[in-house]
Amino acid sequence: MTTFERIKELAKKRKLTLSKVNDLAGIGTNSIYRWKTQSPTVNNLKKVAKVLHTSTDYLLGNTDDPSPTVNKESHPYVDITDDETVYSYRGKPVPKEYLDVIRNLMDSDIRKGKGE
């Protein structure tokens, strides 16, 4: 399976069009479609992998496991203060407004001494 085919397959599983993945990754218009015949840049491939919650190794065909490995000991938490990360819930992108609400609730709890 090619890089393009892997991206297309993961996007479909996450109920995203390739155009939407392209937009969420912030890469040039129709960049992903050009990857049918051209190799992507490392930087653009990383952005797409981040949107699809996978690894560049999977997209490149170096592994058949689309789930990136996370070392839970060295990085057990996800930092939701990172505005660069695209989060999803049930295959749909989480709107920034929702993340802002979650962040505000958590900040409030932290100020009150909760959530530690």
Side-chain angles (χ1 to χ4, degrees):
M1 195 180 312
T2 67
T3 298
F4 175 80
E5 290 166 337
R6 286 176 179 252
I7 292 168
K8 186 175 178 181
E9 179 183 87
L10 279 180
K12 184 177 180 181
K13 284 181 182 177
R14 287 164 175 66
K15 299 181 184 351
L16 296 170
T17 64
L18 290 180
S19 294
K20 185 67 174 176
V21 172
N22 203 82
D23 292 345
L24 291 170
I27 58 179
T29 306
N30 294 322
S31 289
I32 294 173
Y33 288 102
R34 286 193 291 276
W35 297 351
K36 287 181 185 181
T37 57
Q38 300 173 4
S39 295
T41 65
V42 172
N43 194 36
N44 284 350
L45 192 65
K46 284 180 182 180
K47 290 177 183 180
V48 169
K50 197 172 195 179
V51 168
L52 294 174
H53 303 285
T54 192
S55 66
T56 55
D57 276 339
Y58 175 75
L59 295 180
L60 291 170
N62 296 332
T63 180
D64 289 328
D65 183 3
S67 303
T69 304
V70 176
N71 181 340
K72 300 252 189 259
E73 290 176 12
S74 65
H75 193 71
Y77 305 106
V78 175
D79 183 1
I80 66 166
T81 61
D82 174 13
D83 285 329
E84 298 287 316
T85 302
V86 177
Y87 297 95
S88 66
Y89 179 72
R90 295 186 179 177
K92 305 252 187 209
V94 177
K96 182 183 179 319
E97 302 81 45
Y98 287 26
L99 288 173
D100 289 343
V101 169
I102 293 167
R103 290 175 184 139
N104 288 336
L105 288 169
M106 294 177 78
D107 285 341
S108 175
D109 280 356
I110 290 168
R111 281 192 298 276
K112 293 175 186 174
K114 299 177 188 176
E116 294 179 7

